[in-house]
Amino acid sequence: MEPTDSAIERQVTYLERFIHRKEELRITHPLRYLFWESTLRCNMSCLHCGSDCVSDNSTRAAELGVDAVKVELDGIARVYEPGTITFAIIGGEPLVRRDDVCEVGAYAASLGYHWGIVTNGLLLDDEAVDQLEQAGLQTISVSLDGLEPEHDALRNRRGAFRMAVSAIERLLSKGFFREFDIICCVSRLNIDKLEPFVDLLCDLEVPAARFTPIFSHGRATCHTDLLLDKSDYLRLLEFVAVEREKRDDIRISMSEEGYWGPQWEGRVRDNLHYCGSGIVIGTILYNGDVIGCPSMSRSFVEGNIRDASFVDLWQRGFSRYREGRRGLFATQCGDCEHWVLCEGGGLHLLDQEGTVEDQCCLKKIA
């Protein structure tokens, strides 16, 4: 069925508003998401890890103490309304610093922030769940990368699936949080088994799941056999689009890894892709460095909170994000007709292994 004139007009109006809103955000850059990379330490050694996590204590001495993070939360709360900011604690595996995470989280909650964590679930025992509840945690994401054989293989640890599922069941039985979802990394290991995986999530009564393809970052560059090809990407997009239409017992979406073009945008997520790195998203890294999205190359650090406050860096820095991004992508994106909506896809693609052109979502499915 061909779209009616009124439907086309509505689409045009929506896109015009979307483009205007992006410009407005670039000018005002209101902080909406604050990430704290609490540690690079992790209790796993996943094949696809893009965060350079370590299994030893080699980075521990460089980690920020809780008092330093509290100072930054105080400073931000004096300038911005904390109730409008999601404070997400990530890693590494944040629960290797469970007491510190809960102390900082509780402090953030006392200031009015909405706070949460992203975890692999292996350390979510009864005591940890109780601590998180008492600290006022409101959002939590648990990584689960398919059914048992696929998850254990990707996570490089036998028994990881059962431990993660037990943690999910433990959390759902408590139900104290405002938002809960599963993050599934899609690879050649699990691309053929996504439907039974979603069936499992529904059986567990998981409310939401996000699917994100593995990109050639970090350890994944050493395991290229995990990476999807064009047909796999198209299968994933079709799967997510269809599941979103047919499921009413779970919310399915693609993660915000890039712009997939007009055929898929709006079908695989609730909203059009928008990379808010450095515009609405800021991150304090484990060593105090400040950056946009936590997935960005460390070559884009704006400064360190040991030398200047996060607020000062946020308000005075990040010009490369806010003063027109085309310069960052000039050689890779040229005169691409999708630029006005895509704006380079995700800034996390810049200065990583491979080139932006290699990793462009649109080129992957062209």
Side-chain angles (χ1 to χ4, degrees), residues 275 277-278 295-297 300 320-321 325 328-329 343-352:
C275 178
S277 182
S295 296
M296 287 205 56
S297 166
F300 286 85
R320 69 187 113 196
Y321 304 76
R325 294 177 172 178
L328 292 171
F329 292 92
E343 293 190 350
L347 286 174
H348 64 282
L349 302 180
L350 275 174
D351 198 26
Q352 304 277 8

Side-chain angles (χ1 to χ4, degrees), residues 85 103 112 123 173 267 275 317 327 331:
I85 299 172
E103 181 178 345
L123 299 177
S173 70
R267 294 186 64 201
C275 178
T331 58

Side-chain angles (χ1 to χ4, degrees), residues 153-169:
L154 188 63
R155 295 284 161 173
N156 202 22
R157 178 165 175 172
R158 183 178 298 177
F161 175 85
R162 295 188 181 186
M163 295 174 71
V165 168
S166 293
I168 292 165
E169 292 174 327

Side-chain angles (χ1 to χ4, degrees), residues 140-162:
I140 185 164
S141 297
V142 178
S143 298
L144 193 66
D145 302 317
L147 302 175
E148 185 169 3
E150 294 73 40
H151 179 83
D152 285 1
L154 188 63
R155 295 284 161 173
N156 202 22
R157 178 165 175 172
R158 183 178 298 177
F161 175 85
R162 295 188 181 186

Side-chain angles (χ1 to χ4, degrees), residues 2-15:
E2 294 294 326
T4 64
D5 290 344
S6 60
I8 293 174
E9 288 176 2
R10 287 196 299 271
Q11 291 172 355
V12 170
T13 299
Y14 175 80
L15 291 175

Side-chain angles (χ1 to χ4, degrees), residues 39-42 44-45 49-55 91-93 219:
T39 183
L40 285 184
R41 291 179 286 148
C42 189
M44 302 187 78
S45 184
C49 180
S51 300
D52 296 322
C53 296
V54 297
S55 57
E93 170 49 52
R219 292 191 199 119

